[in-house]
Every structure is written in C-alpha cells, then in structure tokens.
Amino acid sequence: MTSRDRDEAKEALRKFTRRQLMELDTCAHCALCTEKCPTYAESQVPNYAPGVRSSKTVRLYNKQFDLRARLLGSRPITEEDVADLADSAFNCTLCGRCMETCPFGFQTHELWVRVREVIRDLGGTPSKVLMLEEMLEESQNPYGLEPDMRLDWADYTDLEEIPEKDQADIAYFVGCTTAFKGANHEVAFAIASILNKLKENWTLLGEDEWCCGSPLLLAGDEHGVKKFAEHNVEALKSRGVKTVITGCAGCFRVFKWEYPKLLGYKPDFEVVHAVEFLRDKLASGELNPDPAKERVGYHDPCELARLGGVIDAPREALKYLASDYVELPESGMDVRCCGGGGLLQAVNNDLRMAIVNRRLGQARELGVEILTSGCPSCKLAFADGVRESDIEIEVLDVMELAARQLGLL
Ligand code: SF4
Ligand code: SF4
C-alpha cells in the first residue's frame, strides 16, 4: 500500500459519521439482528450476519485510525480485506429489519449503505453492480435499454389514452422496473386506467422520466444519484405538478425521503404511493370495486413499510378489494423481506430465490390464492419464485387487483 493509497483509504473511511462510528464501536454482538436477517437465515453464512459486518468494518477502520495506527503508523488495507467486507455488505437486501430489532436503535440501514459507499471508494464494488451503474449513466435506466422504450408498456397493454402533457396536476412516475419489465406492464396499465377512469388531470413524463436513482444509492454511489434527482425534480416542476404518484416502493422512498436530503430542500410537490391514492378514492366512494372472492394476502415491501412509513393504506384499500383477506406473519414494520431488494439479484440470485421461497411458503401455509404487494421488485421476485416451484399462487400488485375488480383489466 503506497502512501497515496493510504491517504485514499483514510479519505474513504472518514465518510463514516461520528454516530456511525459510535454504532460500529458499541455493537454488543448480541446477534438479535442476526436472528431476523433474511440473508443470514437462508444462507447461515456468518459473514452475512450484520454483527459480523460491524466487526469487520471496525477492524478496517482501526487499521488506519486506532491508537496503534496513530503511534506507529497505519496498517495496510488489503484487497482481501475489502473483498471480504464487500461480500458481507452486498449479500444484504438492505431491508432494514436489523434496525428494527437492534435494542440500541442503531440506524443500520443508513450504516450499511455507508459501508457500500466506503467499499466503492476502496475499489471493492462487485463488477455486476458496476455494470448497473454504467448502464444508468448511458441510458438512464439500470437495464441499458433505449430511453424511448420507456413507454412501450402503453402500446403492449393497449392503453387508450397516453397523456404526455406540458402541464398537469398529477404525474405518474412509472419507474424502470415497471416500465421495462414485461411482467410489470399491467401494473402501469392498472394505475393509468384508474387515473383515466377518475378523469384526473395527469401526465406521464415519457422519455423525460429518468431512473429515480435508487440503484445508485443501493450501490453506494450517493454522488451519482444527485444528477438523477435534479433531472426528475426539474421535469416535474416544469410541468407544474402538484402530486407525484408512483407504484414502486423504491421510487417512493427515494422521492419522499432521499431527494430532500440530496437536494438540500423539499421539492414543492407531494409524493404519494399509488396504494395511498387508491385508498383515498375507495374511502371517498369515487371507486366502487366488486371484492375478489379468492383468499388474498399482502406482502409489505420493505421500502414502502419499514423504510417508507406506509403500512395502513394498502390494508385499508384491500378491505374494499377482497372479501377474504388474511394477514401474513412477519408483516408491517417487522416484514420479512421478499429477497428482491438491495441489488441482491445482481450479486447472489440463488440467495434471493431462497428468501423468496421462504416468504411464498408462508403465504401458501395460510391458503393464500392471490399474493399482492405494492412494489414491482417484490412482484418480480414472487413471480420468479412461483415459476420455479410448485406453489400455485397468483402474484398481483394491489393496483392490478384494484383494476381487475373495477373491471378495467
Ligand atoms: S438490512 Fe436486512 S438483509 Fe441487511 S443485514 Fe439487516 S436484516 Fe440482514
Ligand atoms: S442487534 Fe444491534 S447491538 Fe446487537 S448485534 Fe445487531 S447491531 Fe449489534
């Protein structure tokens, strides 16, 4: 390790805030979080346990900053050190369940994102994650697809009216995982059809919609995401939008909670998840669905419930949509992740599928016939799980169920 490398390592490790250093240092290794961690539960790999990640991060930090380093000089951080920490940090869905469990209230979600940022600066980001970043840079979506394919879902689903207005009260921010993944096209169709049925003054951003930037945040590229935030906010402001509706839990969390931090101000529009909008329209009697007869369960997306603060709205909406609703175990604030978060699919899809199957098994035990969620990543994860197993459960977004029960789908 040259002195320049040492300086860069120090610079990277200085990204930890005082609070984060205190959390890392005082972690009691009680393992309460480990019991709840979905990646550890399915893999039993000690390196994936959150407490082990804390210890390894501290060890790395101490090589540069502990008393011995100050008195005798810092010790080198090797490629193996960084790779080992990256193996731990990226085999994590960033579901935040460890944060809810920790008796000391450590903000582990933020902490694990910061660990990824530090790993990035130390050159240890997994290559598949770096590929995602490159595609985002080139095409403003994480799939590397042409930006003009963003509205293909509207053609495929025969949406009658495709509004792209200069001015509108509401913008429907579709999100990349809905716009570019065929399995989610009907989610976009459902939301658009409901907005049309209600005769709302709404618009799509079309090609002017860029990824919300969530994958960059999850990759630890806080700097890169700012450009996406600035672009999207400007696109919305220039159209005079008062309310942004999104059906994606990741887009929702980033717009609502991360953009104000990244931009240093709160944009002048309201951010609403589609299930909140739907709940209000059902409660006001503006939408009158015929409830489904099948047994319906709901999976809370981590980014919508625990990390986004929306737990009641989907349940209240489902009261109008299903006559036989059952609550899954490990739900709400304590939701067991579906496996679809944190870019785990790019790094360890087998582990993602093991987590998906655990959750699907819980739904099957309750006799769930339709498993709903409020996030296209959850839907993709469950759809992959059903396809690869003998579990016969229909996987739908809440908005698709709503459109179906309203006779729109
Ligand atoms: S965020 Fe979720 S997957 Fe990551 S360590 Fe915590 S509980 Fe485990
Ligand atoms: S629950 Fe908190 S204190 Fe216990 S091991 Fe996890 S992070 Fe450390």
Side-chain angles (χ1 to χ4, degrees):
M1 201 181 200
T2 64
S3 61
R4 183 163 160 263
D5 291 341
R6 252 183 223 120
D7 289 347
E8 283 174 3
K10 279 201 167 78
E11 197 56 35
L13 290 161
R14 281 201 183 98
K15 285 195 164 169
F16 289 114
T17 63
R18 276 173 185 273
R19 195 198 74 216
Q20 288 171 333
L21 291 172
M22 183 276 293
E23 289 174 348
L24 287 166
D25 207 33
T26 52
C27 171
H29 306 292
C30 62
L32 288 172
C33 54
T34 304
E35 285 174 28
K36 293 274 189 171
C37 171
T39 56
Y40 178 77
E42 299 311 326
S43 67
Q44 299 292 305
V45 173
N47 204 32
Y48 303 168
V52 171
R53 188 174 311 138
S54 292
S55 308
K56 292 195 170 173
T57 308
V58 170
R59 212 171 301 151
L60 215 72
Y61 186 85
N62 282 346
K63 280 189 163 192
Q64 297 292 313
F65 292 112
D66 67 0
L67 186 61
R68 193 175 137 205
R70 270 182 269 159
L71 292 176
L72 303 172
S74 56
R75 296 165 319 275
I77 291 176
T78 64
E79 274 182 28
E80 289 73 30
D81 291 335
V82 180
D84 187 44
L85 187 59
D87 177 57
S88 174
F90 282 89
N91 275 289
C92 163
T93 63
L94 290 176
C95 69
R97 204 175 186 203
C98 45
M99 181 172 68
E100 275 312 303
T101 320
C102 178
F104 299 97
F106 293 160
Q107 301 296 299
T108 52
H109 181 266
E110 260 178 59
L111 184 57
W112 305 145
V113 171
R114 184 56 49 85
V115 169
R116 289 186 181 193
E117 280 174 37
V118 170
I119 288 169
R120 181 188 170 76
D121 289 357
L122 295 172
T125 304
S127 56
K128 285 189 178 165
V129 173
L130 290 176
M131 273 169 59
L132 279 179
E133 291 182 25
E134 278 167 27
M135 289 193 271
L136 273 161
E137 184 60 37
E138 279 167 22
S139 50
Q140 294 81 50
N141 68 76
Y143 306 110
L145 295 170
E146 291 298 321
D148 65 4
M149 291 171 71
R150 232 174 230 287
L151 277 179
D152 280 2
W153 63 268
D155 293 332
Y156 294 148
T157 54
D158 293 329
L159 185 71
E160 280 177 18
E161 202 184 320
I162 306 169
E164 281 195 81
K165 300 179 186 164
D166 293 339
Q167 294 288 304
D169 294 335
I170 295 174
Y172 167 33
F173 190 90
V174 183
C176 305
T177 311
T178 304
F180 293 107
K181 289 283 177 182
N184 284 321
H185 283 170
E186 288 202 339
V187 179
F189 175 76
I191 294 173
S193 302
I194 288 171
L195 288 166
N196 282 344
K197 181 179 172 63
L198 290 164
K199 299 194 176 0
E200 297 286 354
N201 176 17
W202 72 284
T203 188
L204 296 160
L205 299 184
E207 276 187 58
D208 219 6
E209 178 181 311
W210 284 11
C211 175
C212 68
S214 174
L216 290 172
L217 275 178
L218 303 180
D221 184 5
E222 197 186 27
H223 181 69
V225 76
K226 205 169 166 203
K227 187 171 79 176
F228 287 76
E230 284 167 350
H231 172 87
N232 285 325
V233 168
E234 192 47 47
L236 292 160
K237 278 205 295 202
S238 68
R239 288 166 175 80
V241 168
K242 298 184 186 76
T243 305
V244 179
I245 295 179
T246 179
C248 172
C251 298
F252 172 79
R253 191 186 76 78
V254 168
F255 261 90
K256 183 143 184 146
W257 303 115
E258 299 290 349
Y259 276 14
K261 283 191 269 175
L262 286 161
L263 299 170
Y265 70 92
K266 189 175 171 302
D268 196 18
F269 48 71
E270 199 188 353
V271 180
V272 173
H273 189 278
V275 293
E276 297 180 288
F277 176 82
L278 174 71
R279 183 266 319 267
D280 292 349
K281 298 299 175 188
L282 291 167
S284 66
E286 289 167 81
L287 294 173
N288 292 291
D290 181 20
K293 307 277 183 299
E294 297 93 336
R295 177 163 288 192
V296 174
Y298 173 71
H299 168 81
D300 291 275
C302 302
E303 298 213 66
L304 186 61
R306 185 164 41 237
L307 303 171
V310 178
I311 293 175
D312 294 337
R315 290 170 172 78
E316 287 163 9
L318 283 162
K319 280 185 199 153
Y320 297 88
L321 302 176
S323 51
D324 184 10
Y325 172 77
V326 282
E327 189 70 25
L328 297 185
E330 301 184 283
S331 282
M333 282 300 272
D334 185 41
V335 65
R336 173 184 276 271
C337 179
C338 72
L343 308 179
L344 185 64
Q345 185 176 10
V347 175
N348 190 343
N349 193 47
D350 289 346
L351 182 51
R352 166 182 173 258
M353 292 311 297
I355 299 170
V356 171
N357 288 328
R358 173 80 58 182
R359 193 65 172 150
L360 278 173
Q362 288 180 318
R364 177 166 63 180
E365 271 178 34
L366 288 174
V368 168
E369 294 167 281
I370 300 177
L371 180 58
T372 61
S373 187
C375 179
S377 295
C378 299
K379 189 184 168 195
L380 284 184
F382 289 133
D384 286 351
V386 166
R387 198 171 37 248
E388 290 184 15
S389 69
D390 58 354
I391 296 176
E392 287 185 16
I393 290 179
E394 188 176 16
V395 179
L396 288 179
D397 190 275
V398 174
M399 299 307 291
E400 288 177 290
L401 182 64
R404 185 193 285 189
Q405 301 316 121
L406 286 162
L408 300 171
L409 198 67

